[in-house]
């Protein structure tokens, strides 16, 4: 069926303002009719129209329910007319419906007629074009979006014989879901509204909303800038190593050349991304495009809001995104998990030309470099602040400045108390020109006979000694000042202060010690940085060019994963901004980010899953910080990324009014942890092959490892709100049992993991290759399961609601956005291998380019 809506603000100027295209007219009562249109908002006067069509010919049970929304751009007055023209559409798959439709009838009414009618409801005859006969009845009533009164529910239920499902697509906005804060980051929302029957014969209102996210592009572009900056610094660090013997100098040149090529590639990619305009998502058909490889595939938010009589609204969020994977680079040789294992083996086999350091030591070297880069300038700044504090003649200010300086200096000293630094300094010394090993054939690191192996210990210890001297001097100066004030009469003390400035003496006595501390810190920082740079040179030289290609793949996958995580974190924060329990949990133990994957463990998707596993695991290197936005302007509400590959921080700005309501820990900038976990269960026909003839050990290992992480997180929760949730413990136990059970396509693992995540206030993600087809089946199934388990959806309506969402909801709109076709990319043979509830309804799938 197709309905053409004609609207005029004045009866004499009726014109066709929009055509609401079709949902095919079916001959049974539970088939909903879909109205699709591009309106952006619901009008204040008439929120929406609730329309029941009753046709008299060619149907067994001719009752159909739908909804229409009016735009605020239309000037609605009491005399405004609305005309509904109804067509029978024979084939809804046609690109244009005009060639496949036949006119049934039309009816008109004014806004005044509707608003002044009893219960704001009109019953209109649907008449033929020549007005010679009535072919049906149209019942129109005003629908208050987001409001359900008991009387209204009973009234509608009676009118529709409790058989109809409302599907209303609109740009209808909801203040709770589309405020200025949400609109700054989430764009182009698509909204669908349904009414479903509950077990007590009431009707619930269900709103689905899907949106794009600006972070799809902004986070990867920021990361590319940081990659370029970090690798440029790496080149500078390599040059700063000074003179090296010919062998090491040649390796250094080779590594610098490779880094320069990587930087050029990233610069070109960033330049192309900066040219892009248009939608804020990457469609699935572009997943293998070179300049878009850092962008997550088809990243969208999806929120289901449920309104029931006499109950507070409930909402459920999920982030849908294509599996983070390097599609442009391909999967011929596997994904990151396999490639990294092979890489470590190859490094050991090429150790004849370089020194082999384990992945743990390489990671430690990066961490030390990052710590030195962060703490050295901070210590120097705090030392200067200490000197400035002497001029204020305030004991309290001086003590605070000294405390901060001592804390950061001790942190600096502790970070460098590592044998890796000492051994790397010895190795660097051996790489200098003119060095002759006393054991030329030795396998382990040679030691120069003139090199003092204890020198590093002395230089490192000097930092602590210099700090102790500063602390002792401050204590002595304050003690002298206290003694002087106690022994000097008031007037004499005033004369002393007038004639003599103790602050000058303090600064003069403290300044040499502060300068000595800064010099010691600088010397230690320089030596440590060079030694750790030399360690990283070994890593790069042992695997050039393969190692940097692998780094590019890892950067690509991480970029996609971080964009999705940042999107999910922002949405979860916005949703819980007034939830004190959630905010306490956030700064105390962090939140879980639970990634659900539907990839198979067969063919190319094995490589995708191997990429995804590493990408999600790398998110452990990410923390979040909430900041106060400079203004409420949307540009100032965009999250920003800082850091290096070993650790990134995403700063999420909030408007002043929201920021001021946060707990002290969040307002003071405490770093917030996110605990990423990944659970995978393949569901398609390729998984059937893998289970019968292949290998599913990758899936089993991933699920077991991430169950252990999830269980450890749960045990860390000591908050009162979780002590009463005994079902979480039971769900975890059941999940653990399912993880170790040998059962084909055990999707219960995904259901349990999702339920646990929601109970733990976590962030839910669902992925497949493109986040379009299998993901849509999973999201709609989860939504209907939530309606059944949490909101008493009538059991007879579960499958009907499921089919309705898949046929007419936001997920079919997602398919349309990606491939310009309203068909899920399945065929009948494939679906025979799918678990029962993951199969779409007839007519919604077919062979399409995905």
């Amino acid at each position: 069926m197709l309905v053409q809506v004609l609207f005029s603000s004045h009866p004499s100027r009726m014109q066709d303002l929009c055509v609401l295209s079709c949902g095919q007219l079916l001959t049974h009562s539970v088939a909903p009719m879909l109205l699709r249109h591009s309106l952006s908002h619901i009008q204040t006067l008439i929120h929406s129209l609730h329309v029941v069509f009753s046709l008299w010919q060619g149907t067994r049970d001719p009752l159909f329910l739908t909804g229409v929304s009016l735009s605020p751009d239309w000037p609605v007055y009491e005399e405004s007319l609305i005309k509904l023209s109804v067509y029978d559409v024979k084939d809804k798959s046609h690109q244009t419906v005009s060639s496949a439709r036949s006119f049934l009838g039309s009816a008109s009414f004014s806004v005044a007629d509707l608003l002044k009618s009893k219960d704001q409801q009109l019953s209109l005859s649907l008449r033929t074009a020549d007005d010679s006969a009535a072919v049906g009845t149209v019942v129109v009533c005003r629908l208050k979006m987001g409001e359900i009164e008991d009387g209204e529910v009973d009234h509608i239920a009676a009118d529709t014989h409790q058989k109809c499902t409302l599907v209303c697509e609109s740009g209808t906005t909801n203040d709770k879901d589309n405020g200025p804060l949400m609109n700054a980051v989430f764009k182009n929302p698509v909204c669908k509204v349904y009414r479903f029957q509950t077990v007590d014969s009431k009707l619930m209102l269900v709103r689905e909303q899907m949106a794009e996210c600006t972070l799809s592009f902004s986070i990867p572009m920021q990361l590319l800038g940081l990659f370029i900056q970090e690798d440029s610094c790496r080149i500078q660090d390599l040059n700063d190593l000074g003179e090296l013997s010919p062998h090491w100098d040649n390796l250094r040149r080779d590594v610098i050349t490779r880094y320069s090529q990587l930087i050029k590639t990233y610069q070109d990619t960033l330049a192309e991304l900066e040219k892009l305009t248009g939608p804020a998502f990457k469609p699935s058909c572009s997943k293998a495009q070179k300049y878009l490889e850092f962008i997550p595939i088809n990243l969208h938010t999806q929120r289901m809001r449920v309104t029931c009589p006499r109950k507070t609204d409930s909402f459920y969020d999920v982030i849908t995104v294509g599996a983070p994977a390097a599609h442009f680079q391909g999967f011929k040789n596997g994904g990151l998990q396999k490639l990294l294992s092979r890489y470590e083996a190859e490094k050991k086999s090429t150790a004849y030309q370089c020194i082999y350091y384990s992945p743990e030591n390489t990671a430690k070297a990066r961490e030390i470099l990052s710590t030195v880069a962060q703490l050295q300038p901070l210590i120097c700044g705090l030392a200067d602040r200490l000197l400035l504090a002497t001029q204020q003649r305030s004991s309290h200010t001086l003590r605070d400045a000294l405390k901060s300086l001592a804390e950061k200096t001790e942190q600096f000293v502790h970070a460098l108390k590592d044998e890796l630094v000492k051994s790397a300094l010895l190795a660097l010394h051996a790489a200098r020109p003119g060095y002759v090993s006393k054991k030329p054939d030795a396998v382990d690191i040679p030691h120069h006979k003139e090199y003092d192996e204890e020198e590093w210990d002395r230089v490192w210890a000097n930092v602590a000694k210099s700090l102790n001297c500063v602390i002792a001097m401050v204590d002595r100066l304050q003690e002298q000042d206290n003694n002087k004030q106690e022994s000097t009469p008031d007037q004499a003390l005033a004369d002393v202060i007038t004639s003599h400035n103790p602050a000058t003496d303090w600064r003069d006595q403290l300044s040499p010690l502060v300068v000595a501390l800064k010099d010691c810190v600088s010397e230690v920082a320089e030596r440590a940085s060079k030694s750790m740079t030399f360690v990283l040179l070994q890593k790069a030289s042992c695997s050039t060019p393969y190692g940097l290609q692998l780094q590019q793949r890892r950067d690509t996958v991480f970029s996609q994963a971080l964009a999705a995580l940042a999107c999910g974190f922002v949405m979860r924060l916005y949703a819980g901004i007034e939830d004190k329990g959630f905010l306490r949990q956030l700064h105390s133990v962090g939140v879980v980010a639970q990634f659900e994957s539907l990839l198979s463990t067969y063919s190319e998707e094995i490589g995708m899953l191997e990429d995804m596993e590493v990408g999600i695991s790398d998110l452990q290197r990410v923390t979040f910080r909430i900041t106060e936005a400079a203004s409420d302007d949307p540009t100032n509400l965009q999250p920003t990324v800082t850091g290096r590959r070993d650790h990134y921080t995403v700063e999420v700005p909030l408007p002043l009014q929201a920021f001021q309501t946060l707990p002290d820990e969040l307002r003071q900038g405490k770093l917030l942890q996110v605990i990423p976990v990944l659970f995978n269960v393949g569901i398609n026909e390729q998984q059937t092959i893998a289970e019968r003839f292949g290998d599913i050990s990758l899936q089993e290992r991933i699920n077991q490892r991430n169950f252990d992480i999830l269980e450890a997180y749960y045990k860390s929760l000591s908050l009162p709100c979780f002590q009463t949730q005994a079902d979480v413990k039971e769900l975890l136990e059941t999940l653990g049992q399912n993880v170790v059970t040998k059962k084909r396509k055990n999707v219960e693992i995904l259901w349990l993991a999702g339920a646990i995540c929601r109970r733990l206030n976590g962030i839910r993600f669902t992925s497949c290759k493109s986040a379009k087809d299998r993901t849509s089946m999973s999201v709609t199934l989860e939504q209907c399961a939530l309606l059944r388990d949490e909101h008493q959806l009538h059991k007879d309506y579960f499958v009907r609601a499921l089919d309705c969402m898949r046929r007419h909801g936001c997920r079919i709109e997602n398919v349309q956005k990606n491939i310009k076709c309203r068909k899920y990319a399945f065929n009948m043979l494939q679906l025979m291998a799918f678990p029962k509830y993951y199969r779409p309804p007839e007519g919604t799938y077919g062979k399409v380019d995905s």
Side-chain angles (χ1 to χ4, degrees), residues 238-268:
L238 289 170
N239 287 324
D240 290 344
L241 280 176
E243 286 189 286
L244 297 175
S245 64
H247 169 72
W248 293 110
D249 192 49
N250 288 335
L251 288 177
R252 173 170 60 179
R253 290 172 185 268
D254 190 25
V255 170
I256 288 176
T257 298
R258 298 293 178 180
Y259 273 127
S260 298
Q261 292 171 349
L262 190 61
I263 290 171
K264 179 63 166 58
T265 299
Y266 286 0
Q267 288 173 334
D268 291 345

Side-chain angles (χ1 to χ4, degrees), residues 670-687:
K670 182 175 181 179
L671 293 179
L672 310 174
Q673 302 293 325
V674 173
I675 297 84
V677 292
L678 168 65
F679 291 91
N680 184 87
V681 176
I683 64 170
N684 66 2
E685 78 288 353
Q686 291 187 327
Q687 187 64 21

Side-chain angles (χ1 to χ4, degrees), residues 754-801:
I756 292 168
C757 174
R758 292 196 184 280
R759 282 166 172 76
L760 296 181
N761 293 325
I763 312 169
R764 280 275 295 113
F765 300 82
T766 298
S767 296
C768 59
K769 181 167 69 174
S770 64
K772 176 174 60 66
D773 304 304
R774 282 169 282 179
T775 293
S776 293
M777 300 303 104
S778 178
V779 168
T780 50
L781 177 58
E782 181 180 23
Q783 289 182 166
C784 289
L786 287 166
L787 293 177
R788 177 195 62 201
D789 299 339
E790 305 295 335
H791 301 281
Q792 292 76 52
L793 174 67
H794 196 289
K795 63 180 181 179
D796 293 341
Y797 280 77
F798 179 82
V799 174
R800 299 176 185 180

Side-chain angles (χ1 to χ4, degrees), residues 47 225 307 575 611 737 801 808:
H47 296 269
T307 305
D611 274 355
Q737 294 167 4
H808 304 306

Side-chain angles (χ1 to χ4, degrees), residues 419-432:
E419 284 299 316
L420 178 63
V421 179
K422 189 173 181 179
S423 64
L425 282 169
L426 292 173
L428 176 59
H429 175 73
R432 298 298 184 192

Side-chain angles (χ1 to χ4, degrees), residues 260-373:
S260 298
Q261 292 171 349
L262 190 61
I263 290 171
K264 179 63 166 58
T265 299
Y266 286 0
Q267 288 173 334
D268 291 345
T269 300
L270 185 57
E272 290 297 320
L273 291 176
E274 289 172 344
K275 298 176 184 178
L276 295 179
T277 58
F281 81 105
K282 179 174 82 172
S284 62
C285 57
S286 301
K287 56 178 166 283
Q289 189 171 331
K290 174 177 173 55
Y291 289 122
L292 295 177
E293 64 176 337
F294 289 86
I295 310 301
I297 301 167
N298 191 19
L299 175 62
H300 282 80
T301 65
Q302 181 140 337
R303 169 169 290 179
M304 179 177 73
R305 182 176 291 275
V306 185
T307 305
C308 293
R310 300 183 303 276
K311 292 183 180 179
T312 304
D313 281 12
S314 300
F315 62 87
Y316 306 91
D317 295 336
V318 63
I319 310 300
T320 59
V321 62
H327 290 273
F328 172 74
Q329 298 178 44
F331 308 97
K332 182 179 179 180
N333 298 313
L336 276 171
Q337 189 271 335
K338 180 184 294 183
L339 294 173
L340 286 170
S341 298
R342 185 185 306 165
Y343 166 62
E344 289 304 320
E346 290 181 0
K347 279 205 307 183
K348 293 179 181 179
S349 67
T350 58
Y352 65 89
Q353 65 175 355
C354 59
I355 303 168
Y356 174 75
Y357 288 96
S358 68
E360 293 76 18
N361 279 336
T362 301
K364 187 180 293 183
R366 286 201 186 95
E367 182 181 348
I368 291 174
L369 277 172
S370 178
T371 300
V372 169

